[in-house]
Amino acid sequence: MTLSHPLLARLAPLVLLLVATAARSPELPEAVEAAVRALRRASDTEFPGLVGELVAAEKAAGITLRQQLADPKSRASALAVIGRADAKEAQRLREVLGHEPADALRTRELAAPYLERHLQKPVDDELERSFVRFERSFGKAARTLLRKFPAADPEEREQREELERSWNMAREAVLATVFDYRIYSDRDRGASGQPQVDRVVEALRAEHALLLEVVDAELMRFDRASSSSLEKQLRRVEWMQGLWRSAADKLRGRRGFSPEPLDEVTLATMRMLRALLLQDAGRPADAREALEGGDDFARSLLRIRRARMFEEYNDDYDVGKREQLSISEREIVRLVNEYRVALDADPLEIDGQLLEAARAHSSDMDEKAYFSHEAPDPERRTHRHRIAAAGYTNATVAETIYLGSGYEDAAVVFDGWYRSSSHHRVLISPRYRQIGLGRARSYYTANLGGGWKLPRRESREEALDAASR
C-alpha cells in the first residue's frame, strides 16, 4: 500500500501508533516520536489536527505503558522500552516491581518520572515550538490586516469612549424625560414640560454632533480601504484564529500555550471590520451579532452606517416612479430620521402604501376644509381604515397631522410635531419602522407602520415583539 498524499504520509506513524496500542507493542514511545516529527513538518493548515493526534498519541502511549507495567506477562516488554531510553529507571522499576504487587494506582505512580522525562517533555517541547511557529504566522497575518486598517491609538480610544459616554447619558436623559408622562403630559399636549424636553434634546444634539464627526471620519477611512482587500485579509486571520481555537481544547494547561494569541485591540478591530462588512452585505442582524462584546464606538459606526443605508433608500425611493416626492415631504422624513438616529432608533423607511394613505388624507382635508384624524367618509373614518384601504397589512400603525399656512418649510412642520407630547412620542417610537408623508397645500399627514422591507438589525422575532408592546 502506498501513501501518495503528503499529509497521509505524515499521519502514517499515528496510524501505526493506534495499531501498536491495540497490540500492546513495546515500540509506543518511538511511534510518539514519529508523531512529533510529523508535527514538526506540518503546515499551518494541518496544525490543529496533528496537535490533536499528537496529544492523543501521547495519552495512549502513557496508558499502554502503565497497563504493561501492571501486567506480569507484558512487564518485560515495557521495561525493555524504558531501558532503551533510561537504563537506570528500568533497573529501579525492575527492582521495585520484583518485590511489590503492581496494581494500577501503583504503576501509575512508578511510571510517572519516566513518562515526564521521556514522553511528556519531548511532546511539550515540540508543542511549544509549534505554538511559536504558528503564532508567528498568525501574527504576521494580523499585522498585515492592521496595516490595511490601523487600530486607533490609546488616546483616540479614550476620546471615543468619552464621546460615547456623553452621548449615551444625553440620549438616556431625553428618553427618560419624553416618556415620563408626569413631566411631558398629554393633558396640555406637553406644553408645561416642553422647556425641560428642549434642554435635554439640545444637549443630545450637541453631543451627537461631536460623536458623529469622529464616526464619519472613521467610516471614510473604512471606505478608502478596499473592502475586497480587507475582506480577504480578515478572512485569513479569522481562518487562522479558527485553526488555533480548534486545537485549543487539547492544549489547555500546556506549557507555552496562550488561549488567545491576539491582543484585545486587534480582536476589537477585527470585530468592527467584520460587522461593517456584514452591514454592507445587507446582513445587519449578523453584523450586530459579530459585535457582541465589542466597544460602544464600534456600535456607533454600525448605527450610522445603517442610517446611511436608509438615507440612500429614501433618497432613491421615487426614482423611476410616476409619483414623485415633494421637497417638503422628503425633508420632513429626513428631519424625523435625523432625530431618531440621535436616539439610537432605526430610521424610518418610506413605504408606498403609507404614502398613498397619507396623501389621500391630506387631500381630503384640503378639499373638504376640515382638520382631524377622523374623516367624514364612514369607510375611511379612522387612520386604520385609510391605511388598510391603501393595502398596508401590518396592524401596528399611527398617524400625525399638521395644518400650516402653506408657506412653511419642513422644519416648521417637524417642530410642530416635536412640540406635541403625543406626536413626539409617536415619531421616535421603536414600534414604527416605515413612514409615508403626504402634503396637500397647507395640510400634512404622516402615517407610520410597523412593517419593513429593508434588513433590520434585530431578528424578525425581536422586531415583532417590539411592535407588540
Side-chain angles (χ1 to χ4, degrees), residues 8 16 21 34 86 99 108 125 225 266 280 305 367 407 457:
L8 290 176
L16 294 174
T21 301
D86 193 331
H99 297 90
R108 177 182 297 182
D125 288 347
T266 302
D280 285 359
R305 191 70 165 187
E367 291 168 9
Y407 298 100
R457 58 177 157 173

Side-chain angles (χ1 to χ4, degrees), residues 181-222:
Y181 288 76
R182 295 167 300 176
I183 297 173
Y184 205 35
S185 172
D186 288 341
R187 286 195 300 272
D188 60 354
R189 300 186 65 208
S192 57
Q194 193 63 50
Q196 188 171 342
V197 170
D198 289 344
R199 284 194 296 274
V200 291
V201 170
E202 184 180 356
L204 169 69
R205 291 188 186 281
E207 294 296 345
H208 194 246
L210 293 173
L211 176 61
L212 202 56
E213 185 178 344
V214 179
V215 167
D216 280 338
E218 188 73 349
L219 289 175
M220 284 178 63
R221 194 162 71 91
F222 175 77

Side-chain angles (χ1 to χ4, degrees), residues 120-224:
Q120 292 168 0
K121 186 178 183 304
V123 169
D124 277 347
D125 288 347
E126 187 51 43
L127 284 172
E128 190 167 10
R129 279 191 289 271
S130 297
F131 303 155
V132 171
R133 189 168 60 244
F134 188 82
E135 277 188 290
R136 190 179 297 124
S137 178
F138 196 178
K140 182 179 179 182
R143 287 192 297 275
T144 301
L145 176 66
L146 292 179
R147 279 198 297 273
K148 293 177 182 295
F149 194 88
D153 62 38
E155 187 176 342
E156 285 176 316
R157 291 198 298 275
E158 188 176 341
Q159 179 199 17
R160 291 172 177 182
E161 288 170 8
E162 181 56 37
L163 288 171
E164 280 289 336
R165 278 194 296 270
S166 299
W167 166 69
N168 258 312
M169 287 174 61
R171 181 181 66 85
E172 288 169 4
V174 170
L175 294 174
T177 305
V178 170
F179 286 96
D180 187 332
Y181 288 76
R182 295 167 300 176
I183 297 173
Y184 205 35
S185 172
D186 288 341
R187 286 195 300 272
D188 60 354
R189 300 186 65 208
S192 57
Q194 193 63 50
Q196 188 171 342
V197 170
D198 289 344
R199 284 194 296 274
V200 291
V201 170
E202 184 180 356
L204 169 69
R205 291 188 186 281
E207 294 296 345
H208 194 246
L210 293 173
L211 176 61
L212 202 56
E213 185 178 344
V214 179
V215 167
D216 280 338
E218 188 73 349
L219 289 175
M220 284 178 63
R221 194 162 71 91
F222 175 77
D223 287 335
R224 281 197 297 269

Side-chain angles (χ1 to χ4, degrees), residues 294-438:
D295 58 51
D296 288 337
F297 182 75
R299 280 189 281 275
S300 272
L301 288 177
L302 208 57
R303 175 174 62 88
I304 300 305
R305 191 70 165 187
R306 190 169 54 251
R308 299 287 185 259
M309 176 187 74
F310 279 83
E311 281 180 24
E312 289 175 11
Y313 176 85
N314 288 340
D315 285 347
D316 295 340
Y317 171 78
D318 55 3
V319 172
K321 291 185 172 69
R322 187 166 58 84
E323 290 291 330
Q324 298 288 298
L325 293 171
S326 69
I327 293 173
S328 59
E329 287 171 339
R330 193 186 299 277
E331 181 62 11
I332 293 169
V333 172
R334 190 194 68 76
L335 290 170
V336 170
N337 281 341
E338 181 180 73
Y339 185 34
R340 285 176 66 94
V341 170
L343 288 166
D344 195 23
D346 266 351
L348 301 170
E349 62 184 73
I350 296 173
D351 176 80
Q353 293 162 335
L354 292 174
L355 177 64
E356 179 186 334
R359 282 179 167 174
H361 188 51
S362 290
S363 295
D364 194 51
M365 288 191 291
D366 181 46
E367 291 168 9
K368 298 174 183 174
Y370 72 95
F371 179 66
S372 172
H373 288 291
E374 291 196 357
D377 183 350
E379 293 183 358
R380 305 175 66 85
R381 178 78 67 192
T382 68
H383 69 282
R384 291 186 179 278
H385 290 135
R386 295 187 291 273
I387 291 170
Y392 194 77
T393 56
N394 193 285
T396 303
V397 292
E399 181 179 84
T400 64
I401 55 177
Y402 181 84
L403 176 59
S405 64
Y407 298 100
E408 59 282 320
D409 61 19
V412 172
V413 180
F414 171 78
D415 196 58
W417 287 330
Y418 163 83
R419 295 187 178 281
S420 166
S421 56
S422 60
H423 292 89
H424 192 145
R425 284 189 273 265
V426 165
L427 291 181
I428 64 175
S429 170
R431 298 181 68 208
Y432 306 112
R433 296 171 177 79
Q434 293 180 310
I435 188 171
L437 201 297

Side-chain angles (χ1 to χ4, degrees), residues 43-293:
S43 68
D44 290 339
T45 310
E46 300 153 352
F47 169 76
L50 286 173
V51 162
E53 294 287 355
L54 177 56
V55 172
E58 174 198 28
K59 182 179 179 181
I63 290 171
T64 302
L65 187 64
R66 288 195 293 269
Q67 288 173 339
Q68 289 178 324
L69 286 171
D71 182 358
K73 293 180 181 178
S74 59
R75 190 176 299 155
S77 297
L79 290 171
V81 169
I82 295 171
R84 278 194 291 275
D86 193 331
K88 289 183 179 179
E89 182 68 21
Q91 182 59 35
R92 184 185 72 81
L93 288 172
R94 209 174 274 115
E95 291 171 359
V96 172
L97 291 170
H99 297 90
E100 295 183 10
D103 58 31
L105 190 63
R106 180 63 173 150
T107 53
R108 177 182 297 182
E109 179 186 320
L110 291 171
Y114 166 78
L115 291 173
E116 185 175 341
R117 283 198 301 275
H118 298 290
L119 184 63
Q120 292 168 0
K121 186 178 183 304
V123 169
D124 277 347
D125 288 347
E126 187 51 43
L127 284 172
E128 190 167 10
R129 279 191 289 271
S130 297
F131 303 155
V132 171
R133 189 168 60 244
F134 188 82
E135 277 188 290
R136 190 179 297 124
S137 178
F138 196 178
K140 182 179 179 182
R143 287 192 297 275
T144 301
L145 176 66
L146 292 179
R147 279 198 297 273
K148 293 177 182 295
F149 194 88
D153 62 38
E155 187 176 342
E156 285 176 316
R157 291 198 298 275
E158 188 176 341
Q159 179 199 17
R160 291 172 177 182
E161 288 170 8
E162 181 56 37
L163 288 171
E164 280 289 336
R165 278 194 296 270
S166 299
W167 166 69
N168 258 312
M169 287 174 61
R171 181 181 66 85
E172 288 169 4
V174 170
L175 294 174
T177 305
V178 170
F179 286 96
D180 187 332
Y181 288 76
R182 295 167 300 176
I183 297 173
Y184 205 35
S185 172
D186 288 341
R187 286 195 300 272
D188 60 354
R189 300 186 65 208
S192 57
Q194 193 63 50
Q196 188 171 342
V197 170
D198 289 344
R199 284 194 296 274
V200 291
V201 170
E202 184 180 356
L204 169 69
R205 291 188 186 281
E207 294 296 345
H208 194 246
L210 293 173
L211 176 61
L212 202 56
E213 185 178 344
V214 179
V215 167
D216 280 338
E218 188 73 349
L219 289 175
M220 284 178 63
R221 194 162 71 91
F222 175 77
D223 287 335
R224 281 197 297 269
S226 165
S227 60
S228 60
S229 175
L230 278 178
E231 172 77 25
K232 181 179 178 181
Q233 190 60 32
L234 180 58
R235 278 186 182 278
R236 174 166 174 75
V237 177
E238 288 173 337
W239 170 72
M240 298 189 80
Q241 188 178 38
L243 290 179
W244 185 266
R245 288 174 177 173
S246 68
D249 288 342
K250 305 287 185 184
L251 299 174
R252 298 194 189 283
R254 287 280 184 175
R255 167 164 47 90
F257 176 67
S258 166
E260 180 54 74
L262 298 179
D263 62 79
E264 185 50 45
V265 173
T266 302
L267 289 170
T269 303
M270 286 172 59
R271 284 194 295 267
M272 180 184 73
L273 290 174
R274 173 53 61 206
L276 287 170
L277 289 166
L278 285 167
Q279 174 64 51
D280 285 359
R283 296 165 57 190
D286 292 336
R288 185 188 74 163
E289 187 177 340
L291 269 187
E292 286 296 326

